Amino acid sequence: SQALTLAAQFNPQGALDAGRFGSETARGGEVGARTRLFGGNLALNATAFYYEYKDLQVQVFDPQTVSLVADNVGKLRTQGVEADVNWRPTDQLALRGAIAYTDAKYRDYIGACYQGQTIAQGCTLNADPSTGAFTSQNYGGRTPPKAPKWAGRAGFTFTQPVAGGEVVLTSDASYTGRYNFTDTLRPDAVQHSFWKFDAALRFNAENDRWHIGVVGRNLSNKLVATSANDIPFTGGTGTGTNTGFVADLSTFIENPREVFVEVGFRF
């Protein structure tokens, strides 16, 4: 990075040490059950899991040096359950659903403050000896980014034979719980829980020689933030003091509503 390059001109060994980070390890496991009932028309699956990551590798964007800084998390514990069901009550109708609960927490992790984070906002550790400003915060007991507690989906496929082929209607709804979408867990970077809806109507010719359909994605037109970086030179000053000023965010948003025609051929 630019920061390491400049540092190497004055202290090559210091730059090398600053760029080092440890390898990560994980231990844990999962247990579950898979069942098929009613001649295979109903499938039920469930899994419980527990994993603990040690020295998990993370990256934090530093807008002051316009570079990514690598770090290691002391520990990350994640546990939860997942279940899904697929049911075909008739030859024409198939139903599906899934749900997941995940409880993820940092442990023993002292990491970077977000740029402009004040003492009152929790930037209270590892004071810089030259300025007296704090540089780190305690992430212990906090949920990592992009880790909603609840997520699920439900949908169906209905197939109707017609002259020359079949008409297929599919529809799915998905739910995602709230989560923070910044690596430093900025309090102003929370994606609230949301629903999304997809649907498609297709005609499949006999023997699947060709098909045509109309496909709709994110029909509820939900704008969902997935990640973000501080915009360089827009603030981010006063970190670890009483008068911090946070930077603006450049946020990555998933696609809005999409509707398109799909045509396919088999040769």
Side-chain angles (χ1 to χ4, degrees), residues 20-250:
R20 286 175 173 164
F21 50 92
S23 59
E24 63 184 43
T25 59
R27 65 178 183 178
E30 53 188 66
V31 60
R34 299 181 181 276
T35 62
R36 285 191 174 274
L37 304 171
F38 305 115
N41 288 329
L42 176 62
L44 293 170
N45 306 308
T47 303
F49 60 89
Y50 177 94
Y51 288 98
E52 185 175 83
Y53 296 86
K54 186 177 181 181
D55 294 326
L56 180 72
Q57 296 170 1
V58 296
Q59 286 187 326
V60 176
F61 180 73
D62 184 352
Q64 300 301 312
T65 60
V66 196
S67 61
L68 290 172
V69 179
D71 198 1
N72 288 104
V73 173
K75 290 182 181 179
L76 171 67
R77 186 264 297 148
T78 179
Q79 59 186 357
V81 292
E82 300 174 339
D84 64 82
V85 58
N86 289 275
W87 181 34
R88 184 176 287 274
T90 70
D91 291 339
Q92 294 173 270
L93 179 63
L95 304 175
R96 54 188 171 270
I99 190 169
Y101 171 78
T102 303
D103 178 26
K105 291 287 188 298
Y106 285 127
R107 291 180 174 178
D108 304 327
Y109 176 31
I110 304 300
C113 298
Y114 56 85
Q115 296 296 310
Q117 183 177 2
T118 65
I119 294 173
Q121 293 168 326
C123 188
T124 59
L125 301 173
N126 297 336
D128 187 326
S130 62
T131 64
F134 295 103
T135 61
S136 303
Q137 61 176 317
N138 184 5
Y139 287 86
R142 303 174 69 186
T143 301
K146 298 180 281 291
K149 283 189 176 295
W150 289 98
R153 61 176 176 81
F156 71 87
T157 299
F158 180 76
T159 304
Q160 176 63 52
V162 296
E166 62 182 13
V167 174
V168 180
L169 172 65
T170 64
S171 181
D172 290 273
S174 62
Y175 170 82
T176 303
R178 71 191 299 271
Y179 58 84
N180 194 294
F181 54 85
T182 57
D183 294 329
T184 51
L185 302 182
R186 277 181 51 160
D188 58 347
V190 174
Q191 172 61 58
H192 296 286
S193 60
F194 61 90
W195 285 88
K196 280 189 173 184
F197 300 93
D198 303 329
L201 181 64
R202 294 183 174 90
F203 173 77
N204 298 326
E206 290 181 352
N207 302 319
D208 287 333
R209 292 173 298 176
W210 60 274
H211 72 268
I212 185 171
V214 178
V215 180
R217 295 176 179 169
N218 189 15
L219 294 176
S220 52
N221 199 34
K222 189 66 178 180
L223 300 181
V224 176
T226 58
S227 61
N229 288 324
D230 292 344
I231 300 176
F233 316 119
T234 63
T237 59
T239 304
T241 69
N242 292 314
T243 57
F245 180 69
V246 297
D248 295 335
L249 280 176
S250 173

